[in-house]
Amino acid sequence: MGWRSDRAYEEKRHRAFVRWKASLGWPEYLRWQWQRSRAFVAGVACAVGAVLIYGFLT
């Protein structure tokens, strides 16, 4: 099997992911969401910081 996979394989993976996500408790779920989005949050924080610094300097 190459980089493409058949529909049954993808559906099986999706069902396994949904079961895994449903099994998480709230602390685990929040930790998982943080790990997923921390690069985006860091980028937004840098952009907001840059805009605030620019605003204070002008």
Side-chain angles (χ1 to χ4, degrees):
M1 180 166 45
W3 62 273
R4 294 184 185 203
S5 57
D6 61 349
R7 187 170 191 81
Y9 176 77
E10 291 297 327
E11 289 174 1
K12 184 178 175 183
R13 274 187 54 219
H14 178 71
R15 284 193 305 270
F17 172 74
V18 169
R19 280 193 313 271
W20 170 78
K21 196 168 86 169
S23 74
L24 296 176
W26 276 106
E28 296 162 327
Y29 178 75
L30 293 174
R31 190 177 318 118
W32 174 66
Q33 285 291 2
W34 169 248
Q35 289 174 350
R36 280 183 65 208
S37 62
R38 65 182 167 196
F40 173 75
V41 172
V44 169
C46 288
V48 168
V51 169
L52 288 175
I53 289 172
Y54 179 77
F56 284 129
L57 294 178
T58 59

